[in-house]
């Protein structure tokens, strides 16, 4: 059975943190558009050059660009047994594009399970999470200076690399990212509900508790 998990939810709702762990446990690649776009920007690819301004302003990168990046990624060999998709789709337009992409990627297969998990959490604490968030560029582990700090400030517990903060994790850009989320992405809750694919996840509380709830759903 090919497991296609799609994680959606507002910025800093815990998608990345839980996916990093689950992806190792289930041996499924974590396909995260935010990271793919940040890599494209860093490598100054054609897509990266266009995406840079949108990402830095907390706005959605044009759908065609993200869809192309996602399609290429989902066609890679390590995605043939499934994947965890995080950060795509982020609009109804992108959800329609994903449907077409999956038709092509899964052509001839009848053993595909598609599940959408919606990380359900109040907006109030998310801004605090974002402005205190830092992550390890080497292993991807995510920390929060206030809620889940590294043992030694600024150093990854797992691999010892220096932690970094995302450029768009400032208060101003984060506020724009929330606006974008509620205007463009939240309508997908109803979109996937209608398709019967949506499973709501109570994403409040302790990381381990949320992880247990998540495992019950998949
Ligand atoms: P994230 O790491 O998921 O918070 O994404 C960081 C930024 O990348 C977003 O604020 C957008 O500018 C851009 N981005 C990520 N995923 C998408 C997407 N599916 N469509 C358009 N832009 C995206």
């Amino acid at each position: 059975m090919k497991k296609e998990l799609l994680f959606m939810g507002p910025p800093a709702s815990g998608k990345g943190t839980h996916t990093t762990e689950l992806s190792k446990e289930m041996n499924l690649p974590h396909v995260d558009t935010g990271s793919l776009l940040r890599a494209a920007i860093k490598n100054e690819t054609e897509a990266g050059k266009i995406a840079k301004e949108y990402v830095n302003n907390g706005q959605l990168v044009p759908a065609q660009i993200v869809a192309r990046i996602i399609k290429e990624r989902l066609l890679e060999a390590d995605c043939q047994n499934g994947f965890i998709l995080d950060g795509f789709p982020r609009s109804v337009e992108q959800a329609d594009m994903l449907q077409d992409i999956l038709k092509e990627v899964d052509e001839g297969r009848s053993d595909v399970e598609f599940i959408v998990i919606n990380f359900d959490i109040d907006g109030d604490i998310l801004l605090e999470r974002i402005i205190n968030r830092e992550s390890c560029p080497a292993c991807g582990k995510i920390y929060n200076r206030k809620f889940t700090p590294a043992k030694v400030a600024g150093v990854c517990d797992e691999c010892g690399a220096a932690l970094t903060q995302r450029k768009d994790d400032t208060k101003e850009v984060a506020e724009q990212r929330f606006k974008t989320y509620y205007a463009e992405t939240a309508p997908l809750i109803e979109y996937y509900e209608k398709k019967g694919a949506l499973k709501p996840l109570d994403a409040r509380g302790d990381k381990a508790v949320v992880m247990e709830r998540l495992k019950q759903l998949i």
Side-chain angles (χ1 to χ4, degrees):
M1 180 65 78
K2 180 176 182 184
K3 235 184 198 352
E4 299 181 340
L5 302 176
L6 197 158
F7 287 180
M8 55 175 290
S13 55
K15 302 185 301 291
T17 304
H18 289 94
T19 315
T20 307
E21 202 174 316
L22 205 62
S23 146
K24 276 186 212 145
E25 228 173 90
M26 296 180 74
N27 199 21
L28 290 177
H30 177 190
V31 179
D32 161 18
T33 42
S35 300
L36 291 171
L37 287 167
R38 282 187 288 279
I41 293 170
K42 193 169 166 213
N43 296 330
E44 298 185 341
T45 65
E46 281 312 306
K49 281 180 201 160
I50 300 169
K52 188 172 178 177
E53 206 178 312
Y54 294 93
V55 172
N56 288 347
N57 291 319
Q59 286 161 340
L60 293 188
V61 173
Q64 284 76 7
I65 293 181
V66 189
R68 197 175 324 129
I69 292 179
I70 281 292
K71 185 173 160 183
E72 278 170 15
R73 182 67 190 90
L74 297 185
L75 283 168
E76 282 177 34
D78 65 334
C79 290
Q80 297 319 302
N81 291 325
F83 47 80
I84 306 176
L85 194 52
D86 162 14
F88 186 88
R90 256 170 148 116
S91 65
V92 170
E93 182 193 14
Q94 292 187 8
D96 289 337
M97 284 173 157
L98 178 64
Q99 231 176 342
D100 291 341
I101 292 172
L102 291 180
K103 247 186 231 157
E104 206 175 317
V105 167
D106 294 332
E107 207 188 337
R109 292 188 74 145
S110 53
D111 61 338
V112 179
E113 191 180 16
F114 179 75
I115 302 174
V116 181
I117 302 287
N118 183 42
F119 282 63
D120 200 357
I121 187 163
D122 296 338
D124 301 355
I125 80 157
L126 300 180
L127 192 61
E128 276 289 290
R129 279 195 187 173
I130 287 190
I131 57 181
N132 289 298
R133 177 161 70 179
E134 51 191 7
S135 67
C136 174
C139 73
K141 192 169 162 70
I142 299 169
Y143 298 84
N144 186 289
R145 281 190 293 269
K146 205 163 165 185
F147 306 120
T148 51
K151 289 184 189 119
V152 178
V155 180
C156 181
D157 294 349
E158 306 282 328
C159 65
L163 301 178
T164 55
Q165 189 175 22
R166 276 169 48 172
K167 239 185 162 165
D168 59 345
D169 275 352
T170 61
K171 187 168 179 288
E172 293 69 29
V173 181
E175 280 169 351
Q176 179 54 48
R177 285 159 61 205
F178 282 114
K179 273 193 203 149
T180 307
Y181 172 78
Y182 289 108
E184 310 218 31
T185 311
L188 288 180
I189 296 173
E190 203 185 323
Y191 178 100
Y192 284 119
E193 229 162 30
K194 279 190 184 149
K195 288 189 186 293
L198 192 86
K199 296 196 182 182
L201 168 72
D202 178 358
R204 291 168 304 174
D206 191 63
K207 188 177 141 187
V209 175
V210 177
M211 185 55 113
E212 274 316 302
R213 288 187 200 128
L214 176 57
K215 284 183 184 166
Q216 298 294 318
L217 296 177
I218 54 175

